[in-house]
PDB file of all heavy atoms in Angstrom:
ATOM      1  N   ASN A  27     -14.346-156.963  21.796  1.00  0.00           N
ATOM      2  CA  ASN A  27     -14.173-157.470  20.441  1.00  0.00           C
ATOM      3  C   ASN A  27     -14.218-156.257  19.518  1.00  0.00           C
ATOM      4  O   ASN A  27     -15.272-155.626  19.366  1.00  0.00           O
ATOM      5  CB  ASN A  27     -15.286-158.463  20.091  1.00  0.00           C
ATOM      6  CG  ASN A  27     -15.124-159.043  18.701  1.00  0.00           C
ATOM      7  OD1 ASN A  27     -14.758-158.365  17.753  1.00  0.00           O
ATOM      8  ND2 ASN A  27     -15.411-160.327  18.566  1.00  0.00           N
ATOM      9  N   ILE A  28     -13.088-155.930  18.913  1.00  0.00           N
ATOM     10  CA  ILE A  28     -12.990-154.667  18.168  1.00  0.00           C
ATOM     11  C   ILE A  28     -13.306-154.833  16.684  1.00  0.00           C
ATOM     12  O   ILE A  28     -13.153-153.881  15.912  1.00  0.00           O
ATOM     13  CB  ILE A  28     -11.606-154.020  18.346  1.00  0.00           C
ATOM     14  CG1 ILE A  28     -10.492-154.952  17.875  1.00  0.00           C
ATOM     15  CG2 ILE A  28     -11.391-153.638  19.808  1.00  0.00           C
ATOM     16  CD1 ILE A  28      -9.098-154.313  17.931  1.00  0.00           C
ATOM     17  N   LEU A  29     -13.767-156.005  16.273  1.00  0.00           N
ATOM     18  CA  LEU A  29     -14.202-156.282  14.907  1.00  0.00           C
ATOM     19  C   LEU A  29     -13.100-156.007  13.887  1.00  0.00           C
ATOM     20  O   LEU A  29     -12.890-154.884  13.440  1.00  0.00           O
ATOM     21  CB  LEU A  29     -15.452-155.455  14.545  1.00  0.00           C
ATOM     22  CG  LEU A  29     -16.037-155.666  13.149  1.00  0.00           C
ATOM     23  CD1 LEU A  29     -16.296-157.123  12.867  1.00  0.00           C
ATOM     24  CD2 LEU A  29     -17.332-154.870  13.007  1.00  0.00           C
ATOM     25  N   ALA A  30     -12.394-157.044  13.506  1.00  0.00           N
ATOM     26  CA  ALA A  30     -11.293-156.909  12.551  1.00  0.00           C
ATOM     27  C   ALA A  30     -11.789-156.354  11.225  1.00  0.00           C
ATOM     28  O   ALA A  30     -12.833-156.776  10.713  1.00  0.00           O
ATOM     29  CB  ALA A  30     -10.622-158.267  12.337  1.00  0.00           C
ATOM     30  N   PRO A  31     -11.073-155.408  10.650  1.00  0.00           N
ATOM     31  CA  PRO A  31     -11.482-154.826   9.365  1.00  0.00           C
ATOM     32  C   PRO A  31     -11.662-155.852   8.250  1.00  0.00           C
ATOM     33  O   PRO A  31     -12.429-155.612   7.311  1.00  0.00           O
ATOM     34  CB  PRO A  31     -10.330-153.861   9.052  1.00  0.00           C
ATOM     35  CG  PRO A  31      -9.815-153.457  10.394  1.00  0.00           C
ATOM     36  CD  PRO A  31      -9.918-154.709  11.232  1.00  0.00           C
ATOM     37  N   ILE A  32     -10.977-156.979   8.327  1.00  0.00           N
ATOM     38  CA  ILE A  32     -11.150-158.008   7.291  1.00  0.00           C
ATOM     39  C   ILE A  32     -12.527-158.657   7.372  1.00  0.00           C
ATOM     40  O   ILE A  32     -12.955-159.341   6.432  1.00  0.00           O
ATOM     41  CB  ILE A  32     -10.056-159.092   7.394  1.00  0.00           C
ATOM     42  CG1 ILE A  32      -9.977-159.659   8.810  1.00  0.00           C
ATOM     43  CG2 ILE A  32      -8.712-158.557   6.945  1.00  0.00           C
ATOM     44  CD1 ILE A  32      -8.974-160.794   8.981  1.00  0.00           C
ATOM     45  N   TYR A  33     -13.248-158.471   8.489  1.00  0.00           N
ATOM     46  CA  TYR A  33     -14.585-159.022   8.644  1.00  0.00           C
ATOM     47  C   TYR A  33     -15.684-157.959   8.537  1.00  0.00           C
ATOM     48  O   TYR A  33     -16.849-158.294   8.303  1.00  0.00           O
ATOM     49  CB  TYR A  33     -14.733-159.717  10.000  1.00  0.00           C
ATOM     50  CG  TYR A  33     -13.729-160.816  10.229  1.00  0.00           C
ATOM     51  CD1 TYR A  33     -13.045-160.925  11.436  1.00  0.00           C
ATOM     52  CD2 TYR A  33     -13.457-161.757   9.232  1.00  0.00           C
ATOM     53  CE1 TYR A  33     -12.116-161.935  11.648  1.00  0.00           C
ATOM     54  CE2 TYR A  33     -12.525-162.765   9.433  1.00  0.00           C
ATOM     55  CZ  TYR A  33     -11.865-162.847  10.647  1.00  0.00           C
ATOM     56  OH  TYR A  33     -10.948-163.844  10.842  1.00  0.00           O
ATOM     57  N   LYS A  34     -15.335-156.708   8.728  1.00  0.00           N
ATOM     58  CA  LYS A  34     -16.343-155.652   8.742  1.00  0.00           C
ATOM     59  C   LYS A  34     -16.768-155.302   7.316  1.00  0.00           C
ATOM     60  O   LYS A  34     -15.952-154.866   6.489  1.00  0.00           O
ATOM     61  CB  LYS A  34     -15.809-154.399   9.441  1.00  0.00           C
ATOM     62  CG  LYS A  34     -16.827-153.266   9.531  1.00  0.00           C
ATOM     63  CD  LYS A  34     -16.313-152.116  10.376  1.00  0.00           C
ATOM     64  CE  LYS A  34     -17.248-150.913  10.328  1.00  0.00           C
ATOM     65  NZ  LYS A  34     -18.606-151.244  10.787  1.00  0.00           N
ATOM     66  N   ARG A  35     -18.040-155.492   7.039  1.00  0.00           N
ATOM     67  CA  ARG A  35     -18.576-155.199   5.711  1.00  0.00           C
ATOM     68  C   ARG A  35     -19.011-153.739   5.610  1.00  0.00           C
ATOM     69  O   ARG A  35     -19.573-153.172   6.551  1.00  0.00           O
ATOM     70  CB  ARG A  35     -19.768-156.109   5.397  1.00  0.00           C
ATOM     71  CG  ARG A  35     -19.387-157.561   5.163  1.00  0.00           C
ATOM     72  CD  ARG A  35     -20.599-158.397   4.796  1.00  0.00           C
ATOM     73  NE  ARG A  35     -20.239-159.739   4.371  1.00  0.00           N
ATOM     74  CZ  ARG A  35     -20.030-160.762   5.186  1.00  0.00           C
ATOM     75  NH1 ARG A  35     -20.136-160.584   6.508  1.00  0.00           N
ATOM     76  NH2 ARG A  35     -19.707-161.942   4.719  1.00  0.00           N
ATOM     77  N   LEU A  36     -18.756-153.154   4.450  1.00  0.00           N
ATOM     78  CA  LEU A  36     -19.177-151.792   4.161  1.00  0.00           C
ATOM     79  C   LEU A  36     -20.097-151.813   2.939  1.00  0.00           C
ATOM     80  O   LEU A  36     -19.809-152.492   1.952  1.00  0.00           O
ATOM     81  CB  LEU A  36     -17.974-150.899   3.861  1.00  0.00           C
ATOM     82  CG  LEU A  36     -16.908-150.772   4.952  1.00  0.00           C
ATOM     83  CD1 LEU A  36     -15.749-149.932   4.433  1.00  0.00           C
ATOM     84  CD2 LEU A  36     -17.492-150.147   6.207  1.00  0.00           C
ATOM     85  N   ASN A  37     -21.181-151.082   3.014  1.00  0.00           N
ATOM     86  CA  ASN A  37     -22.092-150.986   1.881  1.00  0.00           C
ATOM     87  C   ASN A  37     -21.731-149.731   1.088  1.00  0.00           C
ATOM     88  O   ASN A  37     -22.296-148.661   1.276  1.00  0.00           O
ATOM     89  CB  ASN A  37     -23.541-150.925   2.367  1.00  0.00           C
ATOM     90  CG  ASN A  37     -24.532-151.022   1.215  1.00  0.00           C
ATOM     91  OD1 ASN A  37     -24.144-151.216   0.065  1.00  0.00           O
ATOM     92  ND2 ASN A  37     -25.811-150.892   1.533  1.00  0.00           N
ATOM     93  N   LEU A  38     -20.726-149.873   0.202  1.00  0.00           N
ATOM     94  CA  LEU A  38     -20.240-148.746  -0.584  1.00  0.00           C
ATOM     95  C   LEU A  38     -20.594-148.950  -2.049  1.00  0.00           C
ATOM     96  O   LEU A  38     -20.350-150.022  -2.621  1.00  0.00           O
ATOM     97  CB  LEU A  38     -18.722-148.621  -0.444  1.00  0.00           C
ATOM     98  CG  LEU A  38     -18.185-148.350   0.973  1.00  0.00           C
ATOM     99  CD1 LEU A  38     -16.670-148.335   0.955  1.00  0.00           C
ATOM    100  CD2 LEU A  38     -18.730-147.038   1.509  1.00  0.00           C
ATOM    101  N   ASN A  39     -21.192-147.912  -2.642  1.00  0.00           N
ATOM    102  CA  ASN A  39     -21.570-147.973  -4.054  1.00  0.00           C
ATOM    103  C   ASN A  39     -22.424-149.201  -4.359  1.00  0.00           C
ATOM    104  O   ASN A  39     -22.231-149.880  -5.376  1.00  0.00           O
ATOM    105  CB  ASN A  39     -20.318-147.976  -4.940  1.00  0.00           C
ATOM    106  CG  ASN A  39     -19.453-146.748  -4.725  1.00  0.00           C
ATOM    107  OD1 ASN A  39     -19.979-145.633  -4.573  1.00  0.00           O
ATOM    108  ND2 ASN A  39     -18.146-146.932  -4.691  1.00  0.00           N
ATOM    109  N   ASN A  40     -23.352-149.476  -3.402  1.00  0.00           N
ATOM    110  CA  ASN A  40     -24.267-150.617  -3.534  1.00  0.00           C
ATOM    111  C   ASN A  40     -23.545-151.959  -3.586  1.00  0.00           C
ATOM    112  O   ASN A  40     -24.087-152.951  -4.067  1.00  0.00           O
ATOM    113  CB  ASN A  40     -25.139-150.464  -4.786  1.00  0.00           C
ATOM    114  CG  ASN A  40     -26.076-149.274  -4.681  1.00  0.00           C
ATOM    115  OD1 ASN A  40     -26.628-149.015  -3.614  1.00  0.00           O
ATOM    116  ND2 ASN A  40     -26.235-148.547  -5.787  1.00  0.00           N
ATOM    117  N   ASN A  41     -22.318-151.989  -3.096  1.00  0.00           N
ATOM    118  CA  ASN A  41     -21.558-153.238  -3.032  1.00  0.00           C
ATOM    119  C   ASN A  41     -21.480-153.675  -1.575  1.00  0.00           C
ATOM    120  O   ASN A  41     -20.672-153.161  -0.806  1.00  0.00           O
ATOM    121  CB  ASN A  41     -20.161-153.046  -3.605  1.00  0.00           C
ATOM    122  CG  ASN A  41     -19.347-154.337  -3.563  1.00  0.00           C
ATOM    123  OD1 ASN A  41     -19.868-155.407  -3.240  1.00  0.00           O
ATOM    124  ND2 ASN A  41     -18.065-154.231  -3.888  1.00  0.00           N
ATOM    125  N   GLN A  42     -22.317-154.621  -1.199  1.00  0.00           N
ATOM    126  CA  GLN A  42     -22.384-155.058   0.188  1.00  0.00           C
ATOM    127  C   GLN A  42     -21.234-155.985   0.569  1.00  0.00           C
ATOM    128  O   GLN A  42     -21.097-156.364   1.723  1.00  0.00           O
ATOM    129  CB  GLN A  42     -23.720-155.758   0.452  1.00  0.00           C
ATOM    130  CG  GLN A  42     -24.927-154.844   0.315  1.00  0.00           C
ATOM    131  CD  GLN A  42     -26.229-155.535   0.649  1.00  0.00           C
ATOM    132  OE1 GLN A  42     -26.251-156.737   0.905  1.00  0.00           O
ATOM    133  NE2 GLN A  42     -27.304-154.778   0.653  1.00  0.00           N
ATOM    134  N   ASN A  43     -20.405-156.358  -0.389  1.00  0.00           N
ATOM    135  CA  ASN A  43     -19.272-157.236  -0.102  1.00  0.00           C
ATOM    136  C   ASN A  43     -17.979-156.470   0.146  1.00  0.00           C
ATOM    137  O   ASN A  43     -16.926-157.074   0.324  1.00  0.00           O
ATOM    138  CB  ASN A  43     -19.072-158.218  -1.263  1.00  0.00           C
ATOM    139  CG  ASN A  43     -20.210-159.217  -1.365  1.00  0.00           C
ATOM    140  OD1 ASN A  43     -20.705-159.698  -0.349  1.00  0.00           O
ATOM    141  ND2 ASN A  43     -20.630-159.522  -2.584  1.00  0.00           N
ATOM    142  N   SER A  44     -18.047-155.133   0.154  1.00  0.00           N
ATOM    143  CA  SER A  44     -16.855-154.344   0.439  1.00  0.00           C
ATOM    144  C   SER A  44     -16.422-154.581   1.877  1.00  0.00           C
ATOM    145  O   SER A  44     -17.257-154.655   2.785  1.00  0.00           O
ATOM    146  CB  SER A  44     -17.145-152.857   0.217  1.00  0.00           C
ATOM    147  OG  SER A  44     -17.473-152.605  -1.127  1.00  0.00           O
ATOM    148  N   ARG A  45     -15.129-154.685   2.093  1.00  0.00           N
ATOM    149  CA  ARG A  45     -14.591-154.874   3.427  1.00  0.00           C
ATOM    150  C   ARG A  45     -13.826-153.625   3.862  1.00  0.00           C
ATOM    151  O   ARG A  45     -13.156-152.980   3.050  1.00  0.00           O
ATOM    152  CB  ARG A  45     -13.652-156.088   3.465  1.00  0.00           C
ATOM    153  CG  ARG A  45     -14.327-157.418   3.113  1.00  0.00           C
ATOM    154  CD  ARG A  45     -15.406-157.809   4.105  1.00  0.00           C
ATOM    155  NE  ARG A  45     -16.106-159.014   3.730  1.00  0.00           N
ATOM    156  CZ  ARG A  45     -16.016-160.165   4.378  1.00  0.00           C
ATOM    157  NH1 ARG A  45     -15.238-160.260   5.446  1.00  0.00           N
ATOM    158  NH2 ARG A  45     -16.696-161.214   3.980  1.00  0.00           N
ATOM    159  N   GLU A  46     -13.918-153.343   5.136  1.00  0.00           N
ATOM    160  CA  GLU A  46     -13.252-152.163   5.668  1.00  0.00           C
ATOM    161  C   GLU A  46     -11.744-152.229   5.460  1.00  0.00           C
ATOM    162  O   GLU A  46     -11.080-151.194   5.305  1.00  0.00           O
ATOM    163  CB  GLU A  46     -13.562-152.011   7.161  1.00  0.00           C
ATOM    164  CG  GLU A  46     -13.056-150.719   7.771  1.00  0.00           C
ATOM    165  CD  GLU A  46     -13.219-150.695   9.277  1.00  0.00           C
ATOM    166  OE1 GLU A  46     -12.686-151.619   9.938  1.00  0.00           O
ATOM    167  OE2 GLU A  46     -13.863-149.764   9.784  1.00  0.00           O
ATOM    168  N   SER A  47     -11.195-153.428   5.443  1.00  0.00           N
ATOM    169  CA  SER A  47      -9.747-153.590   5.291  1.00  0.00           C
ATOM    170  C   SER A  47      -9.223-153.024   3.976  1.00  0.00           C
ATOM    171  O   SER A  47      -8.020-152.750   3.848  1.00  0.00           O
ATOM    172  CB  SER A  47      -9.368-155.071   5.403  1.00  0.00           C
ATOM    173  OG  SER A  47     -10.129-155.863   4.496  1.00  0.00           O
ATOM    174  N   ASP A  48     -10.097-152.837   2.991  1.00  0.00           N
ATOM    175  CA  ASP A  48      -9.690-152.287   1.694  1.00  0.00           C
ATOM    176  C   ASP A  48      -9.658-150.767   1.678  1.00  0.00           C
ATOM    177  O   ASP A  48      -9.238-150.176   0.675  1.00  0.00           O
ATOM    178  CB  ASP A  48     -10.641-152.786   0.594  1.00  0.00           C
ATOM    179  CG  ASP A  48     -10.577-154.296   0.406  1.00  0.00           C
ATOM    180  OD1 ASP A  48      -9.469-154.858   0.566  1.00  0.00           O
ATOM    181  OD2 ASP A  48     -11.620-154.908   0.118  1.00  0.00           O
ATOM    182  N   TYR A  49     -10.099-150.128   2.746  1.00  0.00           N
ATOM    183  CA  TYR A  49     -10.202-148.672   2.783  1.00  0.00           C
ATOM    184  C   TYR A  49      -9.523-148.157   4.052  1.00  0.00           C
ATOM    185  O   TYR A  49     -10.116-148.135   5.131  1.00  0.00           O
ATOM    186  CB  TYR A  49     -11.671-148.239   2.745  1.00  0.00           C
ATOM    187  CG  TYR A  49     -12.404-148.726   1.519  1.00  0.00           C
ATOM    188  CD1 TYR A  49     -13.046-149.968   1.516  1.00  0.00           C
ATOM    189  CD2 TYR A  49     -12.427-147.978   0.345  1.00  0.00           C
ATOM    190  CE1 TYR A  49     -13.705-150.437   0.402  1.00  0.00           C
ATOM    191  CE2 TYR A  49     -13.086-148.431  -0.791  1.00  0.00           C
ATOM    192  CZ  TYR A  49     -13.714-149.661  -0.748  1.00  0.00           C
ATOM    193  OH  TYR A  49     -14.375-150.119  -1.887  1.00  0.00           O
ATOM    194  N   ARG A  50      -8.267-147.741   3.898  1.00  0.00           N
ATOM    195  CA  ARG A  50      -7.471-147.338   5.053  1.00  0.00           C
ATOM    196  C   ARG A  50      -8.133-146.255   5.878  1.00  0.00           C
ATOM    197  O   ARG A  50      -8.097-146.291   7.119  1.00  0.00           O
ATOM    198  CB  ARG A  50      -6.095-146.854   4.602  1.00  0.00           C
ATOM    199  CG  ARG A  50      -5.188-146.425   5.764  1.00  0.00           C
ATOM    200  CD  ARG A  50      -3.855-145.875   5.271  1.00  0.00           C
ATOM    201  NE  ARG A  50      -3.010-145.495   6.390  1.00  0.00           N
ATOM    202  CZ  ARG A  50      -3.091-144.327   7.021  1.00  0.00           C
ATOM    203  NH1 ARG A  50      -4.006-143.429   6.642  1.00  0.00           N
ATOM    204  NH2 ARG A  50      -2.278-144.054   8.029  1.00  0.00           N
ATOM    205  N   VAL A  51      -8.737-145.297   5.255  1.00  0.00           N
ATOM    206  CA  VAL A  51      -9.315-144.178   5.999  1.00  0.00           C
ATOM    207  C   VAL A  51     -10.385-144.650   6.982  1.00  0.00           C
ATOM    208  O   VAL A  51     -10.527-144.102   8.075  1.00  0.00           O
ATOM    209  CB  VAL A  51      -9.896-143.114   5.030  1.00  0.00           C
ATOM    210  CG1 VAL A  51     -11.074-143.680   4.214  1.00  0.00           C
ATOM    211  CG2 VAL A  51     -10.320-141.863   5.796  1.00  0.00           C
ATOM    212  N   TYR A  52     -11.109-145.719   6.623  1.00  0.00           N
ATOM    213  CA  TYR A  52     -12.175-146.227   7.498  1.00  0.00           C
ATOM    214  C   TYR A  52     -11.589-146.994   8.692  1.00  0.00           C
ATOM    215  O   TYR A  52     -11.918-146.716   9.844  1.00  0.00           O
ATOM    216  CB  TYR A  52     -13.120-147.135   6.710  1.00  0.00           C
ATOM    217  CG  TYR A  52     -14.037-146.382   5.763  1.00  0.00           C
ATOM    218  CD1 TYR A  52     -13.774-146.338   4.399  1.00  0.00           C
ATOM    219  CD2 TYR A  52     -15.172-145.715   6.239  1.00  0.00           C
ATOM    220  CE1 TYR A  52     -14.600-145.651   3.529  1.00  0.00           C
ATOM    221  CE2 TYR A  52     -16.007-145.033   5.371  1.00  0.00           C
ATOM    222  CZ  TYR A  52     -15.711-144.996   4.016  1.00  0.00           C
ATOM    223  OH  TYR A  52     -16.531-144.304   3.168  1.00  0.00           O
ATOM    224  N   TRP A  53     -10.727-148.013   8.380  1.00  0.00           N
ATOM    225  CA  TRP A  53     -10.226-148.807   9.500  1.00  0.00           C
ATOM    226  C   TRP A  53      -9.272-148.029  10.382  1.00  0.00           C
ATOM    227  O   TRP A  53      -9.242-148.203  11.601  1.00  0.00           O
ATOM    228  CB  TRP A  53      -9.605-150.111   9.036  1.00  0.00           C
ATOM    229  CG  TRP A  53      -8.369-150.049   8.169  1.00  0.00           C
ATOM    230  CD1 TRP A  53      -8.290-150.299   6.839  1.00  0.00           C
ATOM    231  CD2 TRP A  53      -7.017-149.779   8.593  1.00  0.00           C
ATOM    232  NE1 TRP A  53      -6.997-150.187   6.380  1.00  0.00           N
ATOM    233  CE2 TRP A  53      -6.195-149.879   7.441  1.00  0.00           C
ATOM    234  CE3 TRP A  53      -6.433-149.472   9.810  1.00  0.00           C
ATOM    235  CZ2 TRP A  53      -4.809-149.665   7.476  1.00  0.00           C
ATOM    236  CZ3 TRP A  53      -5.058-149.258   9.857  1.00  0.00           C
ATOM    237  CH2 TRP A  53      -4.263-149.348   8.716  1.00  0.00           C
ATOM    238  N   PHE A  54      -8.495-147.101   9.790  1.00  0.00           N
ATOM    239  CA  PHE A  54      -7.560-146.312  10.586  1.00  0.00           C
ATOM    240  C   PHE A  54      -8.315-145.393  11.546  1.00  0.00           C
ATOM    241  O   PHE A  54      -8.008-145.346  12.746  1.00  0.00           O
ATOM    242  CB  PHE A  54      -6.660-145.487   9.652  1.00  0.00           C
ATOM    243  CG  PHE A  54      -5.608-144.706  10.379  1.00  0.00           C
ATOM    244  CD1 PHE A  54      -4.375-145.270  10.662  1.00  0.00           C
ATOM    245  CD2 PHE A  54      -5.839-143.390  10.772  1.00  0.00           C
ATOM    246  CE1 PHE A  54      -3.394-144.549  11.328  1.00  0.00           C
ATOM    247  CE2 PHE A  54      -4.872-142.665  11.445  1.00  0.00           C
ATOM    248  CZ  PHE A  54      -3.647-143.246  11.721  1.00  0.00           C
ATOM    249  N   THR A  55      -9.327-144.715  11.034  1.00  0.00           N
ATOM    250  CA  THR A  55     -10.102-143.786  11.873  1.00  0.00           C
ATOM    251  C   THR A  55     -10.850-144.524  12.972  1.00  0.00           C
ATOM    252  O   THR A  55     -10.864-144.102  14.129  1.00  0.00           O
ATOM    253  CB  THR A  55     -11.104-143.008  11.002  1.00  0.00           C
ATOM    254  OG1 THR A  55     -10.386-142.298   9.986  1.00  0.00           O
ATOM    255  CG2 THR A  55     -11.898-142.019  11.846  1.00  0.00           C
ATOM    256  N   ARG A  56     -11.463-145.650  12.628  1.00  0.00           N
ATOM    257  CA  ARG A  56     -12.240-146.396  13.634  1.00  0.00           C
ATOM    258  C   ARG A  56     -11.328-146.929  14.740  1.00  0.00           C
ATOM    259  O   ARG A  56     -11.668-146.846  15.926  1.00  0.00           O
ATOM    260  CB  ARG A  56     -12.994-147.558  12.974  1.00  0.00           C
ATOM    261  CG  ARG A  56     -13.877-148.336  13.939  1.00  0.00           C
ATOM    262  CD  ARG A  56     -14.802-149.296  13.215  1.00  0.00           C
ATOM    263  NE  ARG A  56     -14.087-150.385  12.587  1.00  0.00           N
ATOM    264  CZ  ARG A  56     -13.797-151.548  13.177  1.00  0.00           C
ATOM    265  NH1 ARG A  56     -14.160-151.752  14.440  1.00  0.00           N
ATOM    266  NH2 ARG A  56     -13.161-152.493  12.524  1.00  0.00           N
ATOM    267  N   ASN A  57     -10.172-147.440  14.390  1.00  0.00           N
ATOM    268  CA  ASN A  57      -9.279-147.985  15.410  1.00  0.00           C
ATOM    269  C   ASN A  57      -8.614-146.891  16.239  1.00  0.00           C
ATOM    270  O   ASN A  57      -8.303-147.118  17.416  1.00  0.00           O
ATOM    271  CB  ASN A  57      -8.236-148.898  14.763  1.00  0.00           C
ATOM    272  CG  ASN A  57      -8.782-150.283  14.486  1.00  0.00           C
ATOM    273  OD1 ASN A  57      -8.779-151.149  15.348  1.00  0.00           O
ATOM    274  ND2 ASN A  57      -9.297-150.483  13.271  1.00  0.00           N
ATOM    275  N   GLN A  58      -8.422-145.710  15.677  1.00  0.00           N
ATOM    276  CA  GLN A  58      -7.957-144.596  16.497  1.00  0.00           C
ATOM    277  C   GLN A  58      -9.003-144.238  17.551  1.00  0.00           C
ATOM    278  O   GLN A  58      -8.652-143.954  18.712  1.00  0.00           O
ATOM    279  CB  GLN A  58      -7.654-143.366  15.618  1.00  0.00           C
ATOM    280  CG  GLN A  58      -6.398-143.470  14.780  1.00  0.00           C
ATOM    281  CD  GLN A  58      -5.118-143.291  15.599  1.00  0.00           C
ATOM    282  OE1 GLN A  58      -5.144-143.336  16.829  1.00  0.00           O
ATOM    283  NE2 GLN A  58      -3.994-143.111  14.926  1.00  0.00           N
ATOM    284  N   ARG A  59     -10.281-144.296  17.169  1.00  0.00           N
ATOM    285  CA  ARG A  59     -11.349-144.012  18.137  1.00  0.00           C
ATOM    286  C   ARG A  59     -11.406-145.097  19.213  1.00  0.00           C
ATOM    287  O   ARG A  59     -11.667-144.804  20.384  1.00  0.00           O
ATOM    288  CB  ARG A  59     -12.697-143.900  17.427  1.00  0.00           C
ATOM    289  CG  ARG A  59     -12.829-142.674  16.532  1.00  0.00           C
ATOM    290  CD  ARG A  59     -14.293-142.339  16.273  1.00  0.00           C
ATOM    291  NE  ARG A  59     -15.028-143.459  15.730  1.00  0.00           N
ATOM    292  CZ  ARG A  59     -15.182-143.707  14.429  1.00  0.00           C
ATOM    293  NH1 ARG A  59     -14.630-142.889  13.535  1.00  0.00           N
ATOM    294  NH2 ARG A  59     -15.878-144.738  14.011  1.00  0.00           N
ATOM    295  N   ILE A  60     -11.196-146.334  18.807  1.00  0.00           N
ATOM    296  CA  ILE A  60     -11.172-147.430  19.787  1.00  0.00           C
ATOM    297  C   ILE A  60     -10.049-147.192  20.798  1.00  0.00           C
ATOM    298  O   ILE A  60     -10.255-147.320  22.016  1.00  0.00           O
ATOM    299  CB  ILE A  60     -10.994-148.789  19.082  1.00  0.00           C
ATOM    300  CG1 ILE A  60     -12.256-149.161  18.304  1.00  0.00           C
ATOM    301  CG2 ILE A  60     -10.658-149.892  20.097  1.00  0.00           C
ATOM    302  CD1 ILE A  60     -12.101-150.379  17.409  1.00  0.00           C
ATOM    303  N   LEU A  61      -8.877-146.837  20.318  1.00  0.00           N
ATOM    304  CA  LEU A  61      -7.755-146.568  21.209  1.00  0.00           C
ATOM    305  C   LEU A  61      -8.027-145.369  22.113  1.00  0.00           C
ATOM    306  O   LEU A  61      -7.682-145.377  23.304  1.00  0.00           O
ATOM    307  CB  LEU A  61      -6.482-146.347  20.396  1.00  0.00           C
ATOM    308  CG  LEU A  61      -5.784-147.631  19.930  1.00  0.00           C
ATOM    309  CD1 LEU A  61      -4.803-147.343  18.800  1.00  0.00           C
ATOM    310  CD2 LEU A  61      -5.071-148.302  21.085  1.00  0.00           C
ATOM    311  N   ASP A  62      -8.663-144.339  21.562  1.00  0.00           N
ATOM    312  CA  ASP A  62      -9.031-143.175  22.384  1.00  0.00           C
ATOM    313  C   ASP A  62      -9.910-143.616  23.547  1.00  0.00           C
ATOM    314  O   ASP A  62      -9.723-143.187  24.693  1.00  0.00           O
ATOM    315  CB  ASP A  62      -9.790-142.136  21.544  1.00  0.00           C
ATOM    316  CG  ASP A  62      -8.903-141.442  20.523  1.00  0.00           C
ATOM    317  OD1 ASP A  62      -7.663-141.485  20.683  1.00  0.00           O
ATOM    318  OD2 ASP A  62      -9.456-140.857  19.566  1.00  0.00           O
ATOM    319  N   SER A  63     -10.879-144.483  23.257  1.00  0.00           N
ATOM    320  CA  SER A  63     -11.799-144.958  24.288  1.00  0.00           C
ATOM    321  C   SER A  63     -11.069-145.802  25.329  1.00  0.00           C
ATOM    322  O   SER A  63     -11.279-145.651  26.539  1.00  0.00           O
ATOM    323  CB  SER A  63     -12.929-145.768  23.648  1.00  0.00           C
ATOM    324  OG  SER A  63     -13.813-146.264  24.613  1.00  0.00           O
TER     325      SER A  63
END
């Protein structure tokens, strides 16, 4: 289960409702690492 970015919460700027899907650099980098693995 690779955790879809639309569900992954990020605590950015004290905003706990931020989703990874809104920040390409986060979801792109994480999924590249998943593919590497």
